[in-house]
Amino acid sequence: MANNADTFVAPVKCIKDESKDLPFFQTSEAYARIISYIQALNTAVANRKVSDPIPVSEPVTKIIALLDTLDSWITLVPPKPDPQRFGNLAFRDYIGMFEEKSTELLEALLPQNLHVAIKEISPYLTQGLGHGTRIDYGSGHELSFVAWLSCLEMIGFLQHGDHAAVVLRVFVRYLELVRKLQRTYQLEPAGSHGVWGLDDYQFLPYLWGSSQLKDNERLRPIAVMQVPLLEQYAPDYLYFRAIQSIHE
Amino acid sequence: MGSDLDRQIQTLLQCKIITEAEVKELCLKAREILVEESNVQRVDAPVTVCGDIHGQFHDLKELFAVGGECPKTNYLFMGDFVDRGHHSVETFLLLLALKVRYPDRITLIRGNHESRQITKVYGFYDECFQKFGSANVWRYCCEIFDYLSLSAIIDDRIFCVHGGLSPSINTIDQIRTIDRMQEVPHNGAMCDLLWSDPDPDSCTGWGLSPRGAGFLFGESVAKPFLHTNGLELIARAHQLVMEGYKLMFDETVVTVWSAPNYCYRCGNVAAILQIDSNLERNYAIFKESDRNSTNSRTNPQREGPPDYFL
């Protein structure tokens, strides 16, 4: 994505026929970009705790403030008391409000010269919290949020130096937001693998979380089965926090 | 032969697996029965209609405890027997064995998870490999999936399908013309029947489905379909329901969900729809089995650590 006004377009769904479009996607530039971004973030947090002192730039601080705003909107759209099929219909209103205000949010976040990119990057953000019609959340929404973060780097708002903070500050804050949404609106697990997957909702906390524990000699994977260890290590380690969240 | 089948049923009822050779033979026998069934299989009341099971074997036992044992009670299962749960293998093979043993007492129709593509992702393939050491059992079962009926009709009045309606289908007769014995297609009538959802929050007719397959349909589609086909109810499954079942469109469409505490986490109850010989309906609710506490994900029951874990 060059910083050229005419090259920003609103994204459209391109993977429609899985048998053809998915293999095509897997050899595309877009795929290479998102995978390499995830891998770069993975490298940046190797053996680092959440509480480690890391550089936190102004853009990172502003993104966290945006997530705080999204969190504050939950009280403005309380769950509806009447009987639902499963997920709470108020989530449709929440997402509706989010979609309506997304341009405003991004205009406040980004400097003037980057506003031209908003029409392209906005859907990745608004699809990062779950699906308004299905009232569900899954690892695809998590990926959409990370795609948004990678867009912010592509347009120059975030830098390489922000990688550790993107995981240990921004993504950690994002996880707390989506966990609250999952609980509050009783979001269905989208595309859950049931007992054949570890988590109904999240995926990347396990990847980046394992990088945090890469060379850790004290903590073995079996430690996540012990509740006292979960409590002790959840604040610092995404992996432990994710398992703790499953138990909640 | 009959005593072999009875013995296999007893084995499966204890949540134990039969041998690969026995599975192969069971599938051969099942195929002979299923190939004769219609895309819209006629079922006589009384019958108990059930929704998704998703490999939750002990909860299927709960279902039988609440609804009555087969064949004393007649059953119609609306698909999604496999994936996500711990025991897709035992669940599907038990239902299949009951079908072979009591073909007129139990009807199995196809869900969107009775598909090669889907089961490779959502657990059934992995479970078959884990329990049998190869993909053979999965392949035999997938072939059987191709033979399952697409829908059923109870006393010409209650239409049962896994997902919902299709813009390509106005009459029950049109469903009969579909060539069903194939992998679930990505689009078209057969796909829609297994993937569509009613959408009570939109009063308009058809909508694009966020699932990426099938369609959303509203009251203005459901009611004419019922009227055209002389039906009083459409029963379907496919969507998780907190209260086990959910009536829509002035009680002309019902979602029945039979997997309690879905994924051992969702906290929902399950339901079955009991239809008596006068077509009177009763919804029986049930909770998850106590046996599940030893099988939940916090206590992995595999021998040794899972492959991805260490």
Side-chain angles (χ1 to χ4, degrees):
Chain A
M1 202 197 303
N3 282 348
N4 186 328
D6 10 331
T7 62
F8 293 110
V9 291
V12 293
K13 185 181 159 90
C14 291
I15 302 174
K16 293 176 208 166
D17 179 348
E18 230 179 85
S19 58
K20 298 193 200 85
D21 302 329
L22 192 56
F24 180 81
F25 171 63
Q26 287 169 318
T27 57
S28 71
E29 193 182 342
Y31 181 84
R33 283 174 162 182
I34 189 76
I35 290 291
S36 61
Y37 186 64
I38 291 170
Q39 285 170 334
L41 295 178
N42 199 48
T43 303
V45 298
N47 299 311
R48 295 180 106 157
K49 304 204 294 279
V50 171
S51 59
D52 280 357
I54 51 169
V56 176
S57 67
E58 210 209 311
V60 164
T61 306
K62 291 186 84 174
I63 296 170
I64 294 171
L66 186 153
L67 295 172
D68 287 338
T69 302
L70 296 177
D71 193 320
S72 71
W73 289 352
I74 297 174
T75 49
L76 301 177
V77 191
K80 296 184 194 215
D82 36 302
Q84 324 270 330
R85 177 179 64 79
F86 189 82
N88 198 287
L89 284 171
F91 187 64
R92 285 193 182 161
D93 299 333
Y94 178 89
I95 294 292
M97 186 168 127
F98 181 28
E99 285 169 349
E100 241 178 67
K101 298 196 181 194
S102 60
T103 303
E104 198 184 299
L105 280 174
L106 288 170
E107 282 171 353
L109 177 74
L110 299 170
Q112 180 70 37
N113 66 309
L114 293 180
H115 285 192
V116 67
I118 289 176
K119 68 174 184 288
E120 181 155 349
I121 70 172
S122 171
Y124 295 107
L125 178 62
T126 57
Q127 288 175 47
L129 299 188
H131 199 289
T133 308
R134 299 227 345 110
I135 313 183
D136 67 12
Y137 177 96
S139 54
H141 301 112
E142 181 190 83
L143 183 62
S144 186
F145 180 73
V146 172
W148 180 71
L149 293 171
S150 78
C151 289
L152 294 179
E153 185 169 304
M154 284 185 237
I155 61 175
F157 183 65
L158 286 170
Q159 312 293 332
H160 279 220
D162 290 315
H163 283 176
V166 162
V167 178
L168 302 176
R169 302 279 177 274
V170 174
F171 189 69
V172 165
R173 182 64 187 90
Y174 165 82
L175 287 173
E176 296 312 322
L177 168 63
V178 295
R179 284 172 185 142
K180 192 168 164 185
L181 290 170
Q182 288 153 17
R183 268 191 325 266
T184 307
Y185 300 109
Q186 199 162 259
L187 303 182
E188 251 186 83
S192 162
H193 292 203
V195 303
W196 302 94
L198 194 48
D199 195 312
D200 288 328
Y201 296 113
Q202 316 299 149
F203 175 70
L204 287 167
Y206 298 95
L207 181 72
W208 292 330
S210 66
S211 180
Q212 283 187 290
L213 293 161
K214 201 162 95 85
D215 299 317
N216 193 305
E217 281 165 16
R218 262 184 15 258
L219 292 169
R220 313 294 294 148
I222 204 81
V224 300
M225 305 294 282
Q226 294 162 55
V227 175
L229 292 180
L230 283 182
E231 278 166 21
Q232 189 179 351
Y233 292 107
D236 262 331
Y237 294 107
L238 269 64
Y239 204 115
F240 280 82
R241 176 69 192 111
I243 302 282
Q244 186 186 50
S245 181
I246 292 174
H247 287 304
E248 272 165 11
Chain B
M1 277 305 134
S3 64
D4 267 353
L5 194 46
D6 283 328
R7 188 187 36 80
Q8 286 165 17
I9 289 171
Q10 287 313 306
T11 301
L12 290 163
L13 279 170
Q14 291 166 64
C15 199
K16 296 199 177 112
I17 53 171
I18 57 180
T19 67
E20 182 180 308
E22 287 173 322
V23 173
K24 188 171 184 183
E25 218 203 306
L26 178 65
C27 289
L28 281 170
K29 287 188 222 157
R31 194 171 75 185
E32 281 165 40
I33 295 166
L34 294 172
V35 75
E36 298 298 324
E37 293 194 345
S38 164
N39 291 345
V40 190
Q41 182 61 4
R42 295 206 121 92
V43 175
D44 296 326
V47 65
T48 295
V49 181
C50 314
D52 296 27
I53 306 292
H54 281 301
Q56 297 185 205
F57 181 87
H58 296 293
D59 299 320
L60 176 62
K61 297 286 297 274
E62 283 297 299
L63 185 158
F64 285 136
V66 167
E69 298 300 318
C70 175
K72 262 186 88 179
T73 301
N74 297 325
Y75 279 101
L76 162 54
F77 285 89
M78 296 191 287
D80 278 15
F81 317 111
V82 298
D83 286 336
R84 299 203 174 108
H86 274 293
H87 303 290
S88 297
V89 167
E90 293 87 343
T91 297
F92 181 63
L93 293 179
L94 172 61
L95 292 174
L96 199 65
L98 288 170
K99 176 66 182 174
V100 172
R101 184 67 180 85
Y102 309 109
D104 300 322
R105 300 308 182 93
I106 175 170
T107 305
L108 306 175
I109 66 174
R110 196 171 189 175
N112 63 305
H113 276 256
E114 276 71 58
S115 138
R116 288 161 187 80
Q117 247 192 338
I118 300 282
T119 52
K120 274 208 122 164
V121 176
Y122 289 97
F124 183 49
Y125 176 89
D126 290 331
E127 191 185 320
C128 288
F129 222 104
Q130 198 188 68
K131 289 177 175 166
F132 292 94
S134 82
N136 292 339
V137 165
W138 175 77
R139 277 192 299 106
Y140 304 146
C141 292
C142 287
E143 273 171 43
I144 292 299
F145 295 160
D146 288 345
Y147 287 88
L148 292 170
S149 284
L150 301 180
S151 62
I153 186 157
I154 304 169
D155 288 7
D156 287 326
R157 304 284 294 156
I158 299 176
F159 178 66
C160 302
V161 68
H162 177 73
L165 301 178
S166 172
S168 320
I169 301 277
N170 293 312
T171 67
I172 305 269
D173 271 339
Q174 282 175 310
I175 303 176
R176 295 194 171 104
T177 68
I178 296 172
D179 171 18
R180 79 169 187 266
M181 290 173 199
Q182 53 170 316
E183 175 58 31
V184 181
H186 288 127
N187 48 39
M190 178 169 160
C191 170
D192 297 341
L193 292 170
L194 272 45
W195 278 92
S196 292
D197 293 304
D199 190 7
D201 304 300
S202 74
C203 289
T204 55
W206 294 103
L208 283 179
S209 173
R211 290 184 193 260
F215 292 86
L216 299 180
F217 61 96
E219 189 167 340
S220 59
V221 161
K223 283 192 169 167
F225 183 85
L226 281 135
H227 182 78
T228 302
N229 294 285
L231 304 169
E232 64 184 58
L233 178 72
I234 296 168
R236 46 89 62 178
H238 195 43
Q239 282 181 305
L240 173 59
V241 186
M242 192 62 183
E243 307 296 320
Y245 72 99
K246 186 166 173 63
L247 288 155
M248 286 157 278
F249 305 155
D250 289 333
E251 310 204 349
T252 57
V253 175
V254 66
T255 301
V256 180
W257 180 265
S258 304
N261 196 25
Y262 183 48
C263 295
Y264 311 104
R265 256 184 92 172
C266 288
N268 59 294
V269 296
I272 52 179
L273 165 55
Q274 297 166 316
I275 298 169
D276 73 13
S277 28
N278 298 318
L279 290 187
E280 295 292 327
R281 307 168 212 160
N282 179 58
Y283 295 92
I285 307 291
F286 61 101
K287 295 193 161 112
E288 68 164 331
S289 162
D290 291 332
R291 289 289 312 268
N292 283 336
S293 58
T294 54
N295 287 339
S296 74
R297 271 179 287 175
T298 55
N299 291 315
Q301 53 156 179
R302 307 174 207 224
E303 280 150 29
D307 289 338
Y308 59 77
F309 217 0
L310 288 173

